[in-house]
Amino acid sequence: MADSGERSADYARRAGSKANAANTTRSVLRFRPRWWSTLLVLLLVPLFISFGQWQWNKASVKEDRQTLRDTRNGESAVHMPSTPADPESLRYRRVVARGSYEPEFQILVDNRIYREQAGYHVITPLRLEGSEMRVLVNRGWVPALADHSHWPRVATPAGVVEVSGVATVPGTRYLMLGPDSPSADGSGWQVVWQNLDLPRYQKVSKLSLQPVVIELAADSPSGGFAREWPRPDERIDRHIGYAFQWWGFAGATLIIWVVVNLRRQP
């Protein structure tokens, strides 16, 4: 009788163990996404991907422009035409222009940094010899005064000069930090500008202008100042890094969405 009872108890223990194992086996992870988390993912993932693509495209544009500049830098310099030119045909070309500076229409572009010091870029129109056409010349960087309510006086060569440099196409998107400063001399001409807005400059000055700006070459003696022009591909690594960062956010969002929506069910 004792052996029979022990066998019954052992059988019951084994049966219970098998039942528990069966219950454990039937408890599985199931993916049951919540509607609000799915909606959030549908909003965030495309947004992060588009931000990454935007940064990647900016890097691609800079790379293409650097390639174009390197190519055209090896070509012979061209003379600045006296008739309106196509800006893309002149972009990054080495150019030569002969004419006279017009300092009465000169501007200083503010918030330009050179070797960690604040200052201005000096932009002076050059009237091309024998015509009414002008081209703006970026003569380089000058330091700001300690009192930023005043600005430096810059010397400008008189008479006919020959300038050489690289033709660049000014941007069209600007960050305005507030109204521009008033005229320095009371003539009505605005001296300090936050950005070089070429259409606005042409409207205010009423001058016939070429759609490019000449960055004065470092070896040009025609009234230049500090000149270390940035490369078109400057900070391209930053754009690429930002692109992968945004795409990483998209991938992380998908992983989190999957993990939080896994539920253990029997």
Side-chain angles (χ1 to χ4, degrees):
M1 293 293 292
D3 290 342
S4 177
E6 290 177 0
R7 284 196 298 271
S8 298
D10 184 56
Y11 176 79
R13 284 195 298 269
R14 288 198 300 269
S17 298
K18 291 179 180 179
N20 291 334
N23 291 334
T24 302
T25 302
R26 287 196 297 268
S27 180
V28 295
L29 286 174
R30 296 184 183 277
F31 181 64
R32 297 291 180 87
R34 299 172 177 84
W35 69 267
W36 59 267
S37 64
T38 302
L39 179 61
L40 192 62
V41 166
L42 290 175
L43 291 173
L44 291 180
V45 169
L47 187 64
F48 292 155
I49 292 175
S50 65
F51 283 165
Q53 192 62 45
W54 172 57
Q55 290 290 342
W56 186 265
N57 289 340
K58 290 180 70 173
S60 297
V61 169
K62 286 191 172 186
E63 185 177 25
D64 291 343
R65 288 184 175 177
Q66 184 62 53
T67 301
L68 178 63
R69 180 159 189 162
D70 292 341
T71 300
R72 290 186 167 177
N73 187 57
E75 299 174 353
S76 300
V78 299
H79 286 273
M80 182 61 62
S82 58
T83 56
D86 173 25
E88 291 304 321
S89 69
L90 290 176
R91 186 191 290 271
Y92 301 137
R93 289 194 183 278
R94 293 192 298 119
V95 295
V96 176
R98 184 176 174 85
S100 302
Y101 284 128
E102 295 182 322
E104 62 271 26
F105 295 110
Q106 181 170 274
I107 65 173
L108 301 177
V109 180
D110 202 357
N111 300 313
R112 295 303 181 262
I113 305 300
Y114 175 71
R115 297 184 179 178
E116 301 183 358
Q117 184 178 356
Y120 307 89
H121 277 178
V122 181
I123 311 294
T124 312
L126 181 78
R127 180 176 176 177
L128 299 177
E129 193 173 35
S131 76
E132 293 297 316
M133 181 64 69
R134 280 85 167 174
V135 61
L136 295 183
V137 180
N138 190 336
R139 297 165 56 199
W141 177 92
V142 294
L145 302 178
D147 182 358
H148 206 65
S149 63
H150 297 82
W151 34 86
R153 303 284 180 171
V154 296
T156 302
V160 177
V161 297
E162 184 172 281
V163 304
S164 60
V166 174
T168 61
V169 180
T172 56
R173 296 182 180 180
Y174 310 105
L175 176 63
M176 297 294 290
L177 302 178
D180 282 318
S181 302
S183 171
D185 54 12
S187 67
W189 178 251
Q190 182 177 302
V191 176
V192 177
W193 292 40
Q194 291 187 48
N195 301 284
L196 177 53
D197 184 339
L198 200 58
R200 178 188 169 207
Y201 181 94
Q202 188 165 26
K203 181 179 179 181
V204 172
S205 67
K206 297 180 174 60
L207 301 176
S208 298
L209 284 177
Q210 291 289 14
V212 296
V213 176
I214 298 177
E215 291 181 346
L216 195 63
D219 58 354
S220 177
S222 305
F225 304 99
R227 284 155 285 173
E228 289 185 7
W229 306 117
R231 291 168 54 91
D233 63 353
E234 188 176 54
R235 298 181 178 179
I236 190 173
D237 292 341
R238 180 176 298 183
H239 293 302
I240 294 174
Y242 286 157
F244 282 109
Q245 185 178 59
W246 284 115
W247 292 334
F249 288 158
T253 301
L254 285 173
I255 293 172
I256 293 172
W257 175 63
V258 171
V259 170
V260 300
N261 286 290
L262 287 175
R263 306 182 194 179
R264 187 173 295 279
Q265 294 182 342

